[in-house]
Amino acid sequence: MARQLPYQTVKEIFTRFEASEPEPKGELHHLNAFTLLVAVALSAQATDAGVNKATGPLFPVADTPQKMLDLGEEGLTGYIKSIGLYRNKARNVIRMSRILVEEHGGEVPSSRAALEALPGVGRKTANVVLNMWWGHPAQAVDTHILRVGNRTGIAPGKDPVAVERAIEDHVPAEFQRHAHHWLILHGRYICVARKPKCKACLISDLCAYEDKTT
């Protein structure tokens, strides 16, 4: 775990991220708040590309909680069986859809507590939906952000919640809304796990990582 970088250094890092990509986007395909919620729930221990391949045919058929209930667990399974843990995920999506219909009028709630009360929805999933759909400055910490936060010193912490808090505490407010997207994309394509691409990195001169590749 690298030391926490000074505030001005973190500010410069995100200034560069913003200049490079002013409006970063998540890579999970979705049509509305419900399909975003389903896509994120399906993405646990799966790649975005794999989820997109499965949901491409699914979402035109079931883009609301009621349509998902009408499809049923077995029908849903047929669409998502290429995704890891698909049986458990199908069960959770159907249960989630039923709760949305019965308790939320078929709408996706905009509160973290209500989202986390849904089957198969943890803090990370809730934060993605809050950020991407509702525009909240929520930080969805995945393995990429956990690695980048600790390796660079942008937001060190021993677990996802600690890194989430570090982002909230140390990243300037004007960058909070897009912070997790910049960090995810940086971890996915530049600051990769085994051999980070330091020569191609736009923040390598600011990063606290000691074992930079050459």
Side-chain angles (χ1 to χ4, degrees):
M1 184 187 298
R3 58 180 173 79
Q4 172 65 55
L5 292 173
Y7 175 85
Q8 287 301 327
T9 304
V10 174
K11 184 175 182 179
E12 174 60 23
I13 285 172
F14 282 92
T15 299
R16 293 184 190 182
F17 282 155
E18 183 178 53
S20 175
E21 190 162 6
E23 293 287 332
K25 304 294 183 184
E27 296 182 324
L28 285 172
H29 298 166
H30 59 283
L31 307 174
N32 52 32
F34 174 68
T35 53
L36 174 61
L37 176 62
V38 172
V40 181
L42 293 177
S43 72
Q45 299 182 50
T47 65
D48 287 1
V51 172
N52 290 339
K53 185 176 181 180
T55 59
L58 169 64
F59 287 159
V61 175
D63 62 349
T64 69
Q66 186 59 58
K67 289 179 182 178
M68 192 66 76
L69 285 176
D70 294 342
L71 182 63
E73 187 174 327
E74 286 305 313
L76 173 57
T77 297
Y79 285 95
I80 67 169
K81 59 187 177 182
S82 61
I83 300 174
L85 306 174
Y86 67 92
R87 290 197 181 278
N88 188 55
K89 290 176 180 179
R91 190 176 307 115
N92 282 335
V93 168
I94 295 301
R95 290 170 59 210
M96 171 205 303
S97 299
R98 183 169 291 108
I99 292 172
L100 289 175
V101 168
E102 294 177 353
E103 300 181 15
H104 298 281
E107 300 294 329
V108 174
S110 59
S111 82
R112 181 183 283 112
L115 286 167
E116 288 191 50
L118 297 170
V121 178
R123 187 177 184 87
K124 186 187 81 171
T125 297
N127 280 348
V128 171
V129 174
L130 290 172
N131 180 275
M132 289 182 62
W133 193 258
W134 300 110
H136 295 186
Q139 309 302 328
V141 177
D142 67 353
T143 55
H144 295 299
I145 295 182
L146 188 67
R147 178 178 68 256
V148 172
N150 280 289
R151 178 185 277 169
T152 63
I154 293 171
K158 65 183 189 306
D159 55 45
V161 173
V163 171
E164 179 183 337
R165 295 287 182 252
I167 294 171
E168 293 172 347
D169 290 344
H170 299 287
V171 175
E174 64 264 34
F175 302 119
Q176 287 279 334
R177 180 174 178 187
H178 294 314
H180 92 272
H181 276 132
W182 283 315
L183 293 171
I184 286 172
L185 294 172
H186 192 64
R188 186 171 288 167
Y189 298 110
I190 301 296
C191 197
V192 295
R194 293 188 178 179
K195 191 177 181 181
K197 302 173 183 178
C198 298
K199 289 181 69 176
C201 177
L202 54 79
I203 63 164
S204 61
D205 59 315
L206 303 173
C207 167
Y209 186 51
E210 294 182 352
D211 300 321
K212 291 185 174 67
T213 58
T214 59

